[in-house]
Amino acid sequence: AGSGVYTEVQPGSYIFMDAAYGRVEMRLPGCESESFQHSLFVLTTVVSSNQERHSVVVDAGLKAVSLDMGPPVVCSLGSSTFSSGGDEHGMIAVDRAMDLPPVGSVLQLIPGHCDPTVNMYDQMVMVRNGTVEEEWSVIGRGPGH
């Protein structure tokens, strides 16, 4: 910041590396870039599937992920794409080269924009190597924070 070039610092965006930052690096689809790893994920469950459309419906909609900087990236399903299905649901057009995940499967989404997504939650679960290590309260959340 002392260089005079930068006018702000966004440490939250930096540590989370949301999908918008991934798109800047042009490394999507996927869950990791060459320079950074994403660290913020929203878990969602497959609630229905459609073989003809090769798509699934998940329980993460506008109340779970922000879409203002683009849709979240669906991890581990090739070039599958997420679109809004309303407040409570999302729709995923699954990459034709991938099998449809069965109903009940838990998928990871990389939010398109971390700030407004985190703002929707009371707590964050910290996971390392598949083990829950801590839960953090999100105290600066809600309108105006």
Side-chain angles (χ1 to χ4, degrees):
S3 69
V5 175
Y6 303 103
T7 59
E8 63 183 80
V9 175
Q10 296 185 355
S13 299
Y14 175 78
I15 64 165
F16 290 141
M17 297 310 296
D18 57 29
Y21 280 98
R23 287 182 187 99
V24 168
E25 285 199 15
M26 300 172 71
R27 301 284 188 221
L28 296 179
C31 291
E32 294 183 6
S33 73
E34 289 184 9
S35 302
F36 301 99
Q37 292 183 351
H38 298 283
S39 63
L40 179 67
F41 302 91
V42 173
L43 299 182
T44 186
T45 302
V46 175
V47 296
S48 70
S49 67
N50 184 313
Q51 291 285 355
E52 288 180 23
R53 293 185 180 170
H54 208 70
S55 65
V56 296
V57 175
V58 295
D59 64 356
L62 293 171
K63 292 181 179 179
V65 291
S66 171
L67 300 178
D68 67 313
M69 295 288 286
V73 171
V74 183
C75 295
S76 303
L77 284 179
S79 61
S80 299
T81 57
F82 179 97
S83 61
S84 174
D87 290 344
E88 287 87 15
H89 297 98
M91 299 179 294
I92 298 174
V94 178
D95 182 332
R96 293 273 179 185
M98 307 296 291
D99 291 333
L100 282 179
V103 171
S105 298
V106 176
L107 305 175
Q108 289 184 326
L109 303 175
I110 300 171
H113 190 186
C114 60
D115 302 1
T117 297
V118 169
N119 196 46
M120 294 185 217
Y121 293 89
D122 292 322
Q123 292 189 344
M124 297 173 68
V125 178
M126 303 299 123
V127 177
R128 184 187 320 245
N129 299 320
T131 301
V132 174
E133 293 199 351
E134 295 185 42
E135 291 184 24
W136 293 353
S137 294
V138 180
I139 55 174
R141 67 171 299 272
H145 291 278

